[in-house]
Amino acid sequence: MQSKTGSEIRELFLSFFESKGHRRVHSSSLVPANDPTLLFTNAGMNQFKDVFLGVEKREYSRATTSQKCVRAGGKHNDLENVGFTRRHHTFFEMLGNFSFGDYFKQDAIAYAWELITSDEWLAIPKDRLYVTIFEGNADVPRDDEAAQFWMNVGVPKERIKAFGMKDNFWQMGETGPCGPCSEIFFDLGLEASETGEDKPFGEDDQRYVEIWNLVFMQFDRSATTDPTTKQTTYTLTPLPKPSIDTGAGLERLAAVVQGKLSNFETDLFTPLIKRAAELTGSTAGVENASLRIISDHARAATFLINDGVLPSNEGRGYVLRKILRRGIRHGRLLGQEQPFMREMVYAVRDEMQDAYPELNDSADQIAKVIEAEERQFDRVLKIGLVKLNEAIELTIQKAIEFTEKSDTLNLEPLYLADYSKGLHTEPQYENASYVEKYRSLSEYLLRATDFKLRGKYRAVLDGTVAFALYETFGMPLDFMVDAARDAGVDFDDKGFQEALLEERKRAKASWKGATKQVADIYIQSLAEGRSPYEQSPGVVLAARELPHLSFIGYETLKAKTRIVYIGHDSGSKGPLTGKPIRQLRPSAFYPETFYAVLEQSPFYATSGGQVGDKGLLLTPDGNQVLADVLGCEAPVRGVNVIQIRPRPNAIGSNSIQAGDTVMAIVDADYRNATRRNHTGTHLLHAALREVLGKHVKQAGSLVDNTRLRFDFSHFAQVDQEELEQIESIVNKEILANTAVQTIVDVPIDVAVNEYHAMALFGEKYGDKVRVVKVGDFSTELCGGIHTLATGEIGLLKLVGESAVSSGVRRVEAISGMGALGEFRRDFEVAQMATQLGSASDSPAEALRSRFASQEEELKRLRRELDEMRMKSAASSLDDAMANAVEVKGIKVLAHRADGLDRGQLRTLVDNLRNKLGSGIVILGSAQDEGKVAIIAGVTADLLKRAHAGKIAGAIAKLVGGAGGGKPDLAEAGGKDISQLNAALEAAPKIVGELLQ
């Protein structure tokens, strides 16, 4: 077996399958296109999912790919294992070959064995290979067919082992394609065994490593739910065209071919590990877990950001943030306190640019994103350390308090009596007030049950508190454990792990999505060239004729065509999708809303951010309107479904029938307004990149007949000067009246590498694409409708710029008549503004001057109002002093002072404390929106006897709130103003109970 580099193995795999008639297909984005069930692309078959489900057709039936994958969130999450095992990664490449109803088991097995063992290809020794098959169950027999095919290519029978559903049966989801699978394993030898024992195949996962999985999709799994019992049963039906989906991890293959025990020892990682060591000052090698983690996470972060994901606090961005911060933390463990991960981007680029040349253009921007995250994480860590210290101090304080109270009130025997009985709820004491008073202490002890018997009232850092610090501030678990230990505090690892498990469940649930089902059988039949009415004898013959669907809306807005499908929402929903079930109907009639498919449709379906067309259906002669077309969608590629509402005349025998010929007319004004905005979007995208930088990439768009909305990657607000520059560039291109060129059926490779067309974020492209060029100014892959020349746009006016999320900005614009209307409104405002200023002032200067003077006037009035409030409050100080009472030898003053903000209340507390000389002051105030403010102050000589934070918190409970603070001054809040007087009246009694 001759050693090969990782890049050579990737190319060899793809070349092999090209020689077997497969189409080499580019890796899809790590952000799955139009698939809510996936957080990230995690398998080679993801981009072919719709093909396997039957909702998409491609011009080839065999494909091979090297797919970028990430498993670091949701259901598929390897993050915590990365660096500590030989083969776990967040980012990896999955090599695969696919058959869409073409070849099946025999050829798939023969291809795999030839590639793996042939001296012409990988030349892996046959005597170190094992294979697995499905052992069978009650529904599916043992896969003896696969076993025989393996023996036919030369695998000895004793090297074939059968396993069950968990290991050797694959299914896409709860329903849909599924089938047995067969895996190829390589024996790394006894040195790979962690136990050192010479165990047979199947009993040592470290020694025998899976290098290729062959999935045989031969069944369709359907579900039936009993309406009475709500029980769901599943049925497996043989697929008419079985398919193949295989996956071989490049990193694992590289380890085998290069004779390494760990993927991290291959040339895919060693240059990255070397660079990580240089950047962190480490002298360790590939065996170091931190260096492994940095190298792996640098790959994942680089490719995720390249594909449009940005660090954030939710969804994909949250996972990216966790990956980055984990890598940064391990750099700190190696002693690197300064930003360094940004430099790893260039190491990743250098190693991967041959396979992914786009990294050459995006590396600088990716590095900027990572550096910004590094600096933000540094700030967060500093805050998190303060929060951790506060949590530890509070834990110690609670333990001390509990010790004092339990020693005095003999709480321990009562608690232990309940605990010894196995009761893990609140202990049942006879004295209810006693229980209420010390409920928080006993709850604290309950959390500490696993640790309490080690010593008298050991302090325990609550695992849920620690997890909050872990999630919010990225505080490392081992760091928190060490800090707690240094402070003499035990760590509630059980509580932490429970909280971690709950978070993973939430993450999994949040990305479970709606299970994507096989397309509606009637729509699918149209996609396959069959009539949905072929088994419907009650319809006219024209409805049962074979359909020949086409979209002709690029060339015309009008067509005489046949209705080949009519559907109607049944009113019930699918048990698995929760979506309305559409029923096939022979006709459509007033006043219901229906769905229809035209054989030749001029209506553009919503796609790529552009909304679908609207229009009319008329009689063939065009003399009578039959229905309004409200919109158009494409649930299956090539099948445009229009939503129609028949007119009042479409009833009885005049209803619209399946098979009828109609005149379909697109609303030209609606279409033209929409296409002006769409072409304007392309110009805007190019102008943004020209002004802000080439890092700008589309992150979403919406184009309709009224305006355009464009989201893009950028880390700062676009200032007014830049917006004006962008707007000027766009309108200059519009005035140039440059022809808009549309080039169709361009191979994706040619479009990207020769035309340098922009492939847009989140879009799904086929093998042949449509390129839209505006001179040398803009070139994009786009299937939308555009103007013939830029001059048709008329004018484009930017009307808004805002933030969408971290690192994503949004601009909104209008064009054509909409822009004219905006200018007319602006002109009207300008005319009014000139009346406010001098003759020499521009309208903007006049408005600014007037606003500035009004703002100054408002500030003056506010100051006067605040001064009047404070004077009023100060004048009542003598009356307030007269209301002070003495509690256990201490003066206590409780006073209500409405209309003051918290700053003014604090000043008033200080004044009252000064007048008292020695005592406690409690102020209550009714605030805006029905809120209550409570502020308590204790003079310095009483701090050993009274705590302002406890006093404020106790009084706040009486007004439905909470709070606390420092011993000398504390604030609290509430939401029940009606109880404020009663709370202040109770203040002396509360102070008396809390005095020490």
Side-chain angles (χ1 to χ4, degrees), residues 247-259:
L250 173 61
E251 293 77 10
R252 292 190 178 196
L253 272 180
V256 168
V257 173
Q258 295 173 20

Side-chain angles (χ1 to χ4, degrees), residues 925-939:
S925 177
Q927 304 283 293
D928 294 337
E929 300 179 357
K931 301 293 179 63
V932 176
I934 302 290
I935 297 187
V938 178
T939 55

Side-chain angles (χ1 to χ4, degrees), residues 795-813:
L795 184 71
L796 186 137
K797 174 63 179 171
L798 297 180
V799 295
E801 192 277 344
S802 59
V804 177
S805 61
S806 176
V808 178
R809 307 297 300 182
R810 169 176 292 172
V811 288
E812 296 182 75

Side-chain angles (χ1 to χ4, degrees), residues 604-611 678 698 701-703 760 763 782-784:
Y604 178 81
T606 298
S607 178
Q610 179 178 330
V611 299
H678 198 159
Q698 179 175 331
S701 69
L702 176 64
V703 177
L760 303 183
E763 284 301 304
C782 183

Side-chain angles (χ1 to χ4, degrees), residues 588-592 626 646-657:
F589 45 83
Y590 176 83
E592 301 288 328
L626 299 174
R647 292 286 181 96
N649 55 287
I651 57 175
S653 60
N654 292 323
S655 63
I656 301 169
Q657 305 287 325

Side-chain angles (χ1 to χ4, degrees), residues 310 692 697 699-700 710-718 801-811:
L310 295 169
L692 303 180
K697 289 184 179 180
F710 188 79
D711 299 343
F712 59 98
S713 55
H714 190 58
F715 271 85
Q717 180 179 358
V718 185
E801 192 277 344
S802 59
V804 177
S805 61
S806 176
V808 178
R809 307 297 300 182
R810 169 176 292 172
V811 288

